[in-house]
Amino acid sequence: MLQDIIKEKLEEIKKLSASTKEELEKIRIEYLGKKGLMNELFAQFKGVPNEQKKEAGQMLNELKNGIQTVIDTLKEKIEQKQEELREKDDLTKPADTLSLGSIHPLTIVRKEIIDIFARLGYTVAEGPEIEDDWHVFSALNFPPEHPARDMQDTFFVENREDGNNILLRTHTSSVQVRTMEHTQPPIRIIAPGRVFRNEAISARAHCIFHQIEGLYIDKGVSFADLKQTLLYFVKELFGNQTKIRLRPSYFPFTEPSAEMDISCTICGGKGCNICKHTGWLEILGCGMVDPNVLKASGIDPEIYSGFAFGMGVERIAMLKYDVKDLRQYFENDVRFLNQFAGAI
Ligand code: PHE
């Protein structure tokens, strides 16, 4: 019966698929072409008994419309896919923009400092951030009751029965000890690294920051060598016009100890807000390595002497780039970071 065939075909057309225009054209010819299915069914329609003509006619129309809808939908899909491919293959289209990153200001300053000391024959040394009491304090001549060991400053990781507690290093001076333990002089190292102190975070302080340590040990090293080395360093980093001044200070691991100021990078020494009208800015601590430190690290203080210095990278970058709030280094705000694009 014609109706049965139509029913079957109505199911069949739901499953039709075509991925190219050629395949779709074949389908069109098969169903709607001159010698196609529809014409054949219309021919058969003439033989349908009169009382069934209405039902069969409606079904035929349904099938014809159904086929047309299927063909239209498939056509749309094929065209959409072709459009996508065309877009993908369009070699004349401008490329996606690649936004270049920038180098972090602390990285820039660290690299500059390392480069300057490399010219003086210093090589880079490293040590662990998780340290023990010996390398951070005891070997550096800190008396057992020294306040820097206090819980206020140091993040402790593990308390040991023998007293050699595990902690986060509070300064890079621990790398001095580690280096001297396994190297005999001459030693010329520069040690950049992260340090940790239990401090409230503010515009001027952070609990994580960066230091660069320097150490020079050899026969006959004097305070004059220290001064000349630091003067060279400062002139290279801040410009030839920069002056230095050393003020007596105290560190357990150096004797004598000093703090070094540079002439203000903003006003050149005349006095301004940045240098609090003194004309000077403090930038590092330094001194002659205490003989006790040499002894503790396995170096004979009767034969060798040396100097050490340590500086904060954040502070130097603040001076170099006029950064007012140290927290900006760690916030990853691209408006801040973008200013350093192409700086190196
Ligand atoms: N370690 C000292 C500090 O963190 C700096 C320093 C290093 C001073 C080497 C003297 C010699 O403040």
Side-chain angles (χ1 to χ4, degrees), residues 170-171 173 176 197 211 213 251 253-254 285-287 308-310:
T170 55
H171 54 181
S173 299
Q176 288 186 35
R197 284 183 201 179
Q211 286 190 333
E213 192 85 6
F251 300 104
F253 37 95
T254 46
C286 60
F309 54 86

Side-chain angles (χ1 to χ4, degrees), residues 104-106 109 202-204 265-266 274 313-331 336-337 339-340:
H104 196 280
L106 296 180
V109 168
S202 71
R204 319 195 100 241
T265 50
I266 306 297
I274 300 295
V313 183
E314 280 79 359
R315 165 122 181 107
I316 291 185
M318 277 174 121
L319 297 178
K320 257 197 97 101
Y321 299 119
D322 198 17
V323 176
K324 296 275 184 332
D325 189 327
L326 177 145
R327 287 168 291 200
Q328 289 193 297
Y329 292 129
F330 309 112
E331 278 167 1
F336 174 71
L337 297 175
Q339 298 177 67
F340 300 95

